[in-house]
Amino acid sequence: MANRIPRVPVREQDPKVRATNFEEVCYGYSREEAMLEASRCLHCKNPRCVGACPVNIQIPDFIERIAQGDIPGAAEVIARDSSLPAVCGRVCPQETQCEGSCILGVKGEAVAIGKLERFVGDEIADRSLGEQRPEVAGGPYGGGSPIKEANGAAVTATRVAIIGSGPAGLACASDLAKMGYDVTIFEALHKAGGVLEYGIPEFRLPKDKVLKPAIESVKALGVKIETNVIVGRTVTIDQLMDDEGFKAVFIGTGAGLPKFMGIPGENYNGVFSANEFLTRNNLMKAYRSDYMTPIHAGRKVCVVGGGNVAMDAARTALRLGAEVHIVYRRTETELPARREEVHHAKEEGIIFDLLTNPVEVLPDDKGWVRALKCVRMELGEPDESGRRSPVAIPGSEFEIDADTVIMALGTSPNPLIAKTTAGLETTRRGCLSAGPDGATTRPGIFAGGDAVTGAATVILAMGAGRAAAKAIDEYLKNS
């Protein structure tokens, strides 16, 4: 018989209040709420949720431990397959993965797997993580000095370099460290975390509360992190392998190169990529009055796009005091953003201009944005993705008043590493060519996450990092 306990709702900030601050929207479950929600799980004989999870977390097992009040036990189950439960519990699209396959969701509401994973991650993060290790500002390449082992002994383990400290890099580094390798992460920016640090707003992923403990847990395994190192400029992969003694390299540099529409006027003042806009706010703290980082927030903002990044940019601009429009060429049904993010955006007052496509950015007499010229659309036949193709309606042009336009149209990998590393092949989309295990076209060099797939999800990147760690271990043992 199906469990008839209704899904336990999650407490959230009032929309009118949260639209004016950068504090986390969702408060998460209390211990009692988590245990009650965990009791809804049917513990299916063949749990479809596990197969739908990109890293195959044993979901019924950790949920059972929550129901029993054994939170450390639940954390141990998750840790076998995921090193970022507090992060993934917040930002992964569970509704299309584990929760989308929950049998309870067929006729009712699925178990809140993501919220339960977040609960476990938060509970463990609140406990001691051991000694916190510093990030090295550049290490030998930026004037700092490498971290030595705690006992001062020389490193004897095989050295592996990880390029990029996003979810793929952190997962790969964590698994390799547990296998006994001497792992160093090289991060181009001044803080570790990759897209988790620069791309996701504070109101969705609190950095000090959630991301910092996750990174500290990786450091506690002995992983060293050198920041301000641009591999391909500061140092090349060949130098790391030939001069520094790294026997294998994992590239997890993500997809940080923004795309634009190619319409007239995109070079006017007030046009941003979502990447720049979010990085200025998230990494450089432009939203805080105690930081001297400039940002042009605007009074009327148009965000072009319909994915999670578009929602993040729109909700950030709203919190900076703007009237914000989401401009998207299809209907709400086709919006690629998570339903939860769309719901939150609407609650907070974001205006959705659907079946609308920009054709030109219009300037004032000083070269600043004054409006976004658009055309009305209608849906035609399905395209190769299965979605109905939008078709412009002749004579339907109109203008939306705006002083800021943010393009949130996706990203692609930066070509720097491929251009500076002989033997690395790329796809026609500019992504690194790599097999399911992360092996690239050059022996000893592996890659995973958005650098291989293009912009995707945190959990998929983490899964790629873990798969590459296994392949690196096999490669080094057989070399």
Side-chain angles (χ1 to χ4, degrees):
M1 182 179 294
N3 193 323
R4 298 192 180 277
I5 300 174
R7 179 163 166 149
V8 178
V10 180
R11 294 163 292 121
E12 297 177 344
Q13 277 198 77
D14 180 88
K16 292 183 180 179
V17 174
R18 72 182 190 236
T20 64
N21 66 55
F22 279 82
E23 296 172 11
E24 188 168 18
V25 169
C26 177
Y27 292 127
Y29 283 144
S30 66
R31 185 183 182 91
E32 292 73 22
E33 290 170 333
M35 291 177 67
L36 179 59
E37 179 61 23
S39 72
R40 298 181 63 233
C41 180
L42 299 178
H43 301 286
C44 305
K45 183 176 181 181
N46 297 305
R48 300 191 303 178
C49 57
V50 176
C53 172
V55 293
N56 301 122
I57 294 173
Q58 299 302 302
I59 292 168
D61 291 350
F62 92 75
I63 288 180
E64 180 178 23
R65 283 162 177 75
I66 294 175
Q68 296 169 348
D70 180 12
I71 311 307
E76 288 178 6
V77 173
I78 295 175
R80 296 173 196 156
D81 302 293
S82 171
S83 54
L84 301 170
V87 172
C88 292
R90 284 171 165 83
V91 304
C92 284
Q94 291 94 5
E95 65 274 13
T96 60
Q97 296 176 345
C98 54
E99 292 181 21
S101 296
C102 177
I103 196 68
L104 282 180
V106 174
K107 294 185 178 181
E109 292 186 289
V111 174
I113 298 169
K115 297 296 187 287
L116 292 175
E117 182 184 21
R118 167 192 164 156
F119 167 75
V120 174
D122 286 350
E123 285 286 299
I124 297 304
D126 287 340
R127 306 180 184 208
S128 173
L129 289 170
E131 178 186 358
Q132 293 190 356
R133 304 183 177 212
E135 294 167 13
V136 182
Y141 305 107
S145 57
I147 300 173
K148 295 180 179 179
E149 293 300 303
N151 60 7
V155 175
T156 56
T158 302
R159 304 185 75 191
V160 180
I162 309 292
I163 305 173
S165 62
L170 291 174
C172 187
S174 177
D175 280 10
L176 287 169
K178 291 174 183 177
M179 295 174 190
Y181 291 99
D182 174 27
V183 183
T184 301
I185 296 176
F186 296 97
E187 168 56 47
L189 298 174
H190 65 279
K191 292 189 72 175
V195 68
L196 305 175
E197 177 66 47
Y198 73 75
I200 302 178
E202 190 76 11
F203 55 81
R204 278 219 295 142
L205 183 65
K207 305 305 182 288
D208 287 342
K209 176 185 175 182
V210 179
L211 182 56
K212 184 177 179 180
I215 293 172
E216 291 298 337
S217 68
V218 176
K219 291 183 186 177
L221 296 171
V223 174
K224 298 172 281 293
I225 300 179
E226 295 190 11
T227 55
N228 299 319
V229 180
I230 303 175
V231 175
R233 284 290 181 265
T234 314
V235 63
T236 65
I237 286 181
D238 287 322
Q239 288 173 324
L240 289 175
M241 299 184 81
D242 296 339
D243 301 337
E244 300 297 326
F246 289 96
K247 302 302 182 184
V249 174
F250 173 75
I251 303 171
T253 47
L257 195 63
K259 297 178 181 178
F260 287 85
M261 291 189 71
I263 60 176
E266 283 184 308
N267 59 326
Y268 289 126
N269 295 322
V271 179
F272 292 86
S273 70
N275 229 34
E276 177 186 358
F277 187 76
L278 290 171
T279 298
R280 284 178 177 270
N281 278 277
N282 301 334
L283 181 67
M284 307 302 291
K285 311 297 182 187
Y287 67 92
R288 288 175 50 171
S289 60
D290 56 334
Y291 274 73
M292 300 298 289
T293 309
I295 185 69
H296 176 73
R299 294 176 295 103
K300 291 188 175 181
V301 177
C302 285
V303 179
V304 182
N308 291 323
V309 173
M311 300 302 146
D312 286 345
R315 297 172 69 198
T316 294
L318 180 80
R319 284 159 170 76
L320 293 173
E323 174 189 298
V324 184
H325 293 245
I326 289 278
V327 181
Y328 182 62
R329 62 181 184 160
R330 289 183 167 97
T331 72
E332 183 173 342
T333 302
E334 287 82 26
L335 280 169
R338 295 185 65 190
R339 296 297 97 188
E340 182 179 54
E341 302 308 319
V342 175
H343 171 69
H344 284 159
K346 285 186 171 182
E347 280 188 328
E348 293 165 7
I350 302 293
I351 301 165
F352 283 74
D353 292 310
L354 303 173
L355 288 172
T356 301
N357 198 43
V359 294
E360 185 178 359
V361 180
L362 302 176
D364 62 17
D365 57 2
K366 295 182 179 179
W368 284 86
V369 174
R370 71 165 180 84
L372 186 64
K373 184 178 180 181
C374 300
V375 63
R376 301 288 184 191
M377 309 293 284
E378 60 184 358
L379 294 184
E381 294 303 314
D383 61 15
E384 59 185 15
S385 70
R387 294 188 298 177
R388 294 173 65 191
S389 300
V391 179
I393 300 175
S396 63
E397 292 84 359
F398 70 103
E399 296 179 10
I400 303 175
D401 290 338
D403 56 11
T404 303
V405 174
I406 301 172
M407 297 294 183
L409 304 168
T411 54
S412 59
N414 191 309
L416 178 61
I417 288 180
K419 287 183 177 180
T420 58
T421 309
L424 276 186
E425 294 182 4
T426 58
T427 67
R428 61 180 181 83
R429 296 190 301 141
C431 300
L432 292 173
S433 295
D437 62 352
T440 69
T441 51
R442 179 166 160 179
I445 300 179
F446 298 76
D450 291 2
V452 172
T453 61
T457 63
V458 169
I459 192 72
L460 286 171
M462 190 179 74
R466 302 201 72 204
K470 294 180 181 178
I472 289 171
D473 179 48
E474 293 177 7
Y475 167 79
L476 291 174
K477 286 179 176 177
N478 295 325
S479 296

